[in-house]
Amino acid sequence: MNFIPVNEPLLDGNEKKYLCECIDTGWISSEGPFVKEFEEKMAIRVGRKHGIAVCNGTAALEIAVQALRISTGDEVIMPTFTIISCAEAVIRVGAVPVLVDSDPFTWNMNVDEIEAKITSKTKAIMVVHIYGLPVDMDKVLKLAEKYKLRIIEDAAEMHGQTYKGRPCGSFGDISTFSFYPNKHVTTGEGGMLLTDDDELAKRCRSIRNLCFQKEKRYVHEELSGNYRFTNLQAAVGLAQLERLDEFVERKRHIGMFYTEALSDIDGIQLPIANTDYADNIYWVYGIVLDDRFGINNREMQKRLTDEGIGTRTFFWCMHEQPVLKDMGLFEGEEYPNAERLARRGMYIPSGLALTDEQMENTILKINKVLSMME
Ligand SMILES: Cc1ncc(COP(=O)(O)O)c(C=O)c1O
């Protein structure tokens, strides 16, 4: 049986050529010329002034929080339904994540819940675009202006996506991307911060590299880590970025194929194809099982694995994370929509290297597993 992985990247463009150039020239570190070129091209693509490439998307969030001088006792509003990188970046500087529930249909943070969570300690809203559709940004931008809050825009999954025609990644005081291999643009591991603010860009560059000072190199006035990005990663990233439009098109093909094949099945919630502000880019193709199936996403995952289909369960909510609860966070808090997604949601093979034949096979196996439950 040929196992169909949940994700496989597509690396058959100029990746090898540019990587060979790194080897031939000896430029493999963060000082190499591809890094700057990749930063510039990403910034142009997203319509920003500065791009700062770093070692992964989690690091980008950590740097964003530090660069904005968010610190002890400050509060940052974010969705509970997200990856732990968001909460971790806030907690590590002594600040507090404040959560909101999900919209049950777009799976993004419910922006109508944000205002009630704003206090005198709130410093920022961390917007996270989840799985393929952007957050409804107009409402967030209005709140940020009204209460003088910063926006950190986690666009890790949103390469090539737009909100009302404007690129995702262009909305935050600082916006971030990830280039993990399941992203539309991958560099193996990697991330980027984007901003229009010259001072913030300078701070991000400094934090990326141990806060070395220009004049007194080994004298430090602020602590940070080494978050640098290599020329080898940038080589792959440049080749990937050249094909971003093609990749978005392919993902939309995958999304539409699955939606057509699954829409007749009663009791499975599918991703929304479009809202009045964006068309889905299907970063991953998620499905949410109806309660009546009697099995949760982990059991469904097990059954599909036995049939040779790779899947991944949805995020697990921040307010239900043992490590965060042990810190005394989120006591007694409940977010029913997000909890349902976490227990019932999963995504099926949707990587860029997925073939139509593999998609057909995936659908066959899903139908087989469901028919065995009847
Ligand atoms: C929304 C979101 N933010 C942040 C990250 C973290 O990125 P990385 O895995 O590059 O650290 C991810 C990773 O998939 C993500 O989906």
Side-chain angles (χ1 to χ4, degrees):
M1 178 172 66
N2 278 338
F3 192 81
I4 302 176
V6 71
N7 175 67
E8 211 178 322
L10 202 57
L11 300 162
D12 56 356
N14 284 321
E15 289 81 359
K16 204 182 274 180
K17 181 174 163 220
Y18 299 160
L19 275 171
C20 287
E21 229 175 290
C22 297
I23 308 287
D24 291 344
T25 59
W27 279 117
I28 57 171
S29 78
S30 57
E31 298 289 318
F34 284 151
V35 176
K36 193 158 178 278
E37 191 181 336
F38 183 50
E39 290 175 336
E40 284 172 359
K41 289 199 165 144
M42 265 299 287
I44 289 168
R45 174 75 206 214
V46 182
R48 305 298 311 240
K49 202 162 160 195
H50 304 282
I52 301 102
V54 296
C55 54
N56 56 60
T58 304
L61 288 169
E62 291 177 3
I63 295 169
V65 169
Q66 185 173 346
L68 290 169
R69 299 185 195 279
I70 291 166
S71 66
T72 314
D74 292 341
E75 294 177 356
V76 177
I77 297 175
M78 66 177 66
T80 186
F81 184 70
T82 185
I83 193 162
I84 199 151
S85 313
C86 302
E88 179 270 332
V90 167
I91 290 167
R92 72 187 271 285
V93 298
V96 182
V98 173
L99 307 176
V100 297
D101 202 358
S102 311
D103 177 283
F105 304 107
T106 65
W107 308 336
N108 275 313
M109 67 198 295
N110 181 351
V111 292
D112 294 327
E113 287 184 17
I114 295 175
E115 191 162 18
K117 297 279 176 134
I118 296 172
T119 71
S120 57
K121 294 181 187 161
T122 310
K123 286 285 167 336
I125 303 170
M126 188 180 278
V127 167
V128 190
H129 310 295
I130 307 250
Y131 296 164
L133 280 172
V135 170
D136 193 354
M137 286 308 299
D138 280 349
K139 293 181 184 171
V140 179
L141 293 169
K142 265 192 204 133
L143 286 175
E145 201 184 328
K146 181 171 170 192
Y147 293 97
K148 304 272 169 287
L149 304 176
R150 301 290 211 154
I151 294 178
I152 299 171
E153 181 191 10
D154 182 353
E157 307 171 356
M158 284 302 119
H159 314 70
Q161 180 57 295
T162 56
Y163 172 83
K164 294 190 175 172
R166 185 177 148 185
C168 289
S170 70
F171 291 94
D173 290 281
I174 301 180
S175 303
T176 62
F177 282 91
S178 161
F179 303 121
Y180 189 70
N182 58 7
K183 304 303 188 298
H184 286 55
V185 169
T186 185
T187 61
E189 297 284 351
M192 194 176 289
L193 299 109
L194 293 129
T195 183
D196 296 328
D197 184 311
D198 298 347
E199 264 318 296
L200 277 179
K202 208 167 132 196
R203 265 186 71 64
C204 290
R205 286 185 198 287
S206 170
I207 296 166
R208 167 174 70 178
N209 190 17
L210 292 161
C211 292
F212 277 122
Q213 295 193 70
K214 254 210 170 106
E215 294 77 25
K216 298 186 215 157
R217 183 167 172 83
Y218 292 105
V219 179
H220 300 264
E221 286 174 3
E222 188 173 351
L223 277 182
S224 77
N226 169 1
Y227 297 108
R228 297 187 299 256
F229 182 81
T230 70
N231 208 49
L232 297 163
Q233 290 167 297
V236 176
L238 279 169
Q240 291 267 297
L241 193 55
E242 288 170 355
R243 300 175 69 188
L244 178 54
D245 290 332
E246 178 199 332
F247 288 169
V248 169
E249 211 174 294
R250 177 70 195 158
K251 284 278 194 173
R252 287 199 167 123
H253 169 76
I254 295 172
M256 284 186 272
F257 182 99
Y258 277 146
T259 294
E260 189 162 332
L262 294 171
S263 53
D264 286 342
I265 300 177
D266 206 22
I268 294 189
Q269 184 189 345
L270 306 179
I272 294 177
N274 26 53
T275 64
D276 56 2
Y277 48 79
D279 295 332
N280 207 321
I281 52 162
Y282 305 97
W283 168 59
V284 291
Y285 193 90
I287 58 173
V288 183
L289 305 174
D290 204 284
D291 299 351
R292 89 181 88 133
F293 278 127
I295 63 166
N296 65 17
N297 51 5
R298 289 187 198 279
E299 180 56 31
M300 182 71 172
Q301 179 176 46
K302 198 171 149 293
R303 293 183 193 188
L304 283 171
T305 305
D306 291 344
E307 294 292 335
I309 307 297
T311 60
R312 183 146 313 161
T313 57
F314 275 10
F315 294 133
W316 193 247
C317 301
M318 293 306 102
H319 69 284
E320 297 195 289
Q321 293 291 346
V323 63
L324 305 185
K325 280 166 58 171
D326 284 350
M327 292 174 178
L329 289 164
F330 318 130
E331 214 182 308
E333 294 183 28
E334 286 177 8
Y335 301 95
N337 294 332
E339 287 164 24
R340 178 169 180 275
L341 294 175
R343 283 164 179 74
R344 301 248 147 223
M346 63 194 301
Y347 49 94
I348 59 179
S350 32
L352 283 161
L354 190 72
T355 63
D356 284 11
E357 198 190 335
Q358 286 176 315
M359 284 191 270
E360 276 161 21
N361 205 0
T362 300
I363 296 295
L364 279 177
K365 294 298 165 56
I366 290 175
N367 279 318
K368 183 175 168 197
V369 169
L370 291 176
S371 69
M372 288 193 302
M373 284 196 282
E374 281 164 3

